[in-house]
Amino acid sequence: MIVELLVSLVAQPLLWCLILAGYLVSRRRIQQERQTFHIAIDSRLNEFKAFFIYGLPLGIVLSVGTILLSLKLSAAWWLGYQIIGILAVIMTVSVVWPTAAVLFTTLIMVALLPNSWRLAVPRFTDQVATNRLIAVSLFLLLAISALASAGLRQRLAIRNLSPRITESNRGRRTGYFKAQQLALVPLAFLVPGTKLTSGLFAWSTVHVAGNQYHLVIVPLLIGFLLTVRQQLPAVQIKQQNHWQLVTGLIYLISAVIVYFQARLFIPLLLIAVVVAVIGWLGARRVQGLVHYTEPFTGVMVLGIQPETPAAKMDLVAGDIILECNNQAVHDEDSFYAARMTDPTYCHLRVKTQSGDIKITESAIFEDSPHNLGVMTFPEQV
């Protein structure tokens, strides 16, 4: 049965679209950094590795629960999710809204099924009990997508931040930051057997209580796209996670309510749409007076390369380096010249975003004395 499940997963076009999207997240970030700074802050495919590391174990654990609870989805919904999911993957270049694919697929299915808005639960199948479990499964998918995406953002957003440079209205260069992460959560569900499913899922047929079902894996997309402007990254991450945790809990509570009161499915689905839109708009609001504009005195830290001396010096994006090795720093050239006065050690006087002054220092690697690992505004040609 495990082999059959894997076959059902790898045969889905949506899976390969998700994998390609996960890879392109890393490639776009590396390409953008090289274009801006002539070198990638981290040339490793970290986002692509995380695409599998964080989603697959979660999917295995949750699939045990979905199977034990005999949660179900309809074949029509599964097919619709393949199409909507691919469209959602294409949109991840500019926006990542994890619950959108599940929500839009559900709305379309409800709209297309006869008399769906007049029934307590849409007729996904001819069995009332099965329809109730399908309704519960749909809200659970929404909850998992929202809550898992919030956890992913909390875990990886700071680590994945990549600096960008643009020009302000006053013609001065200013920095902002982006972080993107996608992950695949494969979830196993039972699909009631029909003539359509007999051809699609013939290899994964099981019998439960005398009824024919097919064990099918749904490749659920989770992830986030974070853009930080005029705000501390940790503050914005907390704000977005707050909204997503609230929406996720509402979806989870809705799943429990629908299990006991199936007739509330349609009203709760409409509430889910409103909550999703409000949560998405709320998470996009940016309030703050933090600026990442190129300073007149000193050089601003925009990024830190991992496994370099700078990674050990308690530097964060937005810090302004005022002195290096007791020499004043005015621009990138003077910063480099000051570093070269002592190729084995670096002593920095730094101004933080709050205006405080801190002193930090570190030894320099002997094999690369010129590489401190600090990314600043590059010199303009």
Side-chain angles (χ1 to χ4, degrees), residues 106-149:
T106 303
L107 288 172
I108 291 173
M109 290 300 103
V110 171
L112 293 179
L113 290 173
N115 299 320
S116 288
W117 301 105
R118 301 179 182 179
L119 301 173
V121 179
R123 291 189 59 185
F124 298 109
T125 69
D126 294 329
Q127 300 180 3
V128 176
T130 298
N131 291 337
R132 183 185 65 173
L133 289 177
I134 291 176
V136 171
S137 298
L138 295 175
F139 276 112
L140 281 178
L141 281 172
L142 288 171
I144 292 169
S145 182
L147 296 175
S149 295

Side-chain angles (χ1 to χ4, degrees), residues 32-49:
Q32 183 65 46
E33 289 176 354
R34 287 175 175 167
Q35 182 179 348
T36 303
F37 302 103
H38 308 295
I39 185 175
I41 295 177
D42 192 342
S43 59
R44 296 172 296 186
L45 301 175
N46 296 324
E47 295 90 346
F48 190 50
K49 295 176 183 177

Side-chain angles (χ1 to χ4, degrees), residues 44 62 66 115 146 178 209 222 246 254 301 314 325:
R44 296 172 296 186
L62 293 177
T66 58
N115 299 320
K178 277 197 170 186
I222 64 172
V246 169
S254 298
V301 176
D314 191 32
N325 294 336

Side-chain angles (χ1 to χ4, degrees), residues 44-96:
R44 296 172 296 186
L45 301 175
N46 296 324
E47 295 90 346
F48 190 50
K49 295 176 183 177
F51 176 84
F52 298 101
I53 292 174
Y54 289 93
L56 293 181
L58 178 63
I60 293 172
V61 172
L62 293 177
S63 291
V64 173
T66 58
I67 293 173
L68 291 177
L69 294 173
S70 297
L71 295 180
K72 302 173 178 65
L73 293 173
S74 70
W77 188 93
W78 181 88
L79 286 172
Y81 179 72
Q82 294 289 315
I83 299 172
I84 301 298
I86 291 174
L87 295 177
V89 169
I90 295 173
M91 292 178 61
T92 57
V93 175
S94 57
V95 61
V96 176

Side-chain angles (χ1 to χ4, degrees), residues 80-229:
Y81 179 72
Q82 294 289 315
I83 299 172
I84 301 298
I86 291 174
L87 295 177
V89 169
I90 295 173
M91 292 178 61
T92 57
V93 175
S94 57
V95 61
V96 176
W97 190 0
T99 57
V102 176
L103 193 58
F104 289 159
T105 304
T106 303
L107 288 172
I108 291 173
M109 290 300 103
V110 171
L112 293 179
L113 290 173
N115 299 320
S116 288
W117 301 105
R118 301 179 182 179
L119 301 173
V121 179
R123 291 189 59 185
F124 298 109
T125 69
D126 294 329
Q127 300 180 3
V128 176
T130 298
N131 291 337
R132 183 185 65 173
L133 289 177
I134 291 176
V136 171
S137 298
L138 295 175
F139 276 112
L140 281 178
L141 281 172
L142 288 171
I144 292 169
S145 182
L147 296 175
S149 295
L152 201 65
R153 184 188 293 106
Q154 184 66 33
R155 180 80 175 178
L156 297 177
I158 292 290
R159 188 188 309 178
N160 288 6
L161 278 179
S162 177
R164 304 284 192 271
I165 297 175
T166 187
E167 191 172 288
S168 68
N169 295 332
R170 298 182 179 181
R172 294 179 61 190
R173 292 191 297 177
T174 183
Y176 67 99
F177 307 89
K178 277 197 170 186
Q180 185 173 10
Q181 182 64 62
L182 304 177
L184 168 68
V185 180
L187 295 172
F189 286 91
L190 293 174
V191 173
T194 62
K195 293 181 179 180
L196 175 63
T197 60
S198 298
L200 287 174
F201 316 118
W203 56 79
S204 59
T205 303
V206 295
H207 290 84
V208 179
N211 296 316
Q212 178 179 296
Y213 295 95
H214 303 280
L215 198 55
V216 177
I217 294 182
V218 174
L220 183 67
L221 171 68
I222 64 172
F224 63 87
L225 176 60
L226 178 72
T227 302
V228 179
R229 301 176 188 267

Side-chain angles (χ1 to χ4, degrees), residues 8 49 57 79 129 157 192 205 230 259 276 316 339:
S8 72
K49 295 176 183 177
L79 286 172
T205 303
Q230 299 182 353
Y259 181 80
V316 297
R339 293 204 310 270

